Amino acid sequence: KATISAGTTLRNTSEQTAVLDVNTIILNRERRKITHTVSSVQIKGNESVVVPQTLDVNAPILWSIENPYLYIVRTEIHRDGLLIDDYE
């Protein structure tokens, strides 16, 4: 088992408080979802926050020179159920 710690920095550039969901997904190299976590956060206007998350990968494939296996981390930001930003 591998434990992954992730932190996403969010900045609210509006004057109003925003309620957002941060969805972090671990994909294998075939782009299949291995695990994910969702955190809800409330950000006041013109403020930034770091959203810490922890994910567990059961039976991870370890990277080696013979098998340089890499996973993909995808972060999605949702507001009112709509995707407003994403990053891999």
Side-chain angles (χ1 to χ4, degrees), residues 18-59:
V19 177
L20 305 172
D21 291 325
V22 180
N23 186 6
T24 300
I25 307 159
I26 305 293
L27 305 168
N28 66 12
R29 66 177 164 197
E30 291 80 28
R31 301 193 64 80
R32 291 191 186 107
K33 181 169 45 171
I34 301 299
T35 189
H36 79 283
T37 189
V38 178
S39 300
S40 293
V41 63
Q42 184 172 341
I43 310 170
K44 294 181 182 177
N46 297 311
E47 288 193 4
S48 296
V49 297
V50 176
V51 180
Q53 294 177 305
T54 303
L55 301 100
D56 289 328
V57 176
N58 294 318

Side-chain angles (χ1 to χ4, degrees), residues 1 53 69-70 72:
K1 176 174 146 176
Q53 294 177 305
Y69 196 95
L70 296 177
I72 300 162

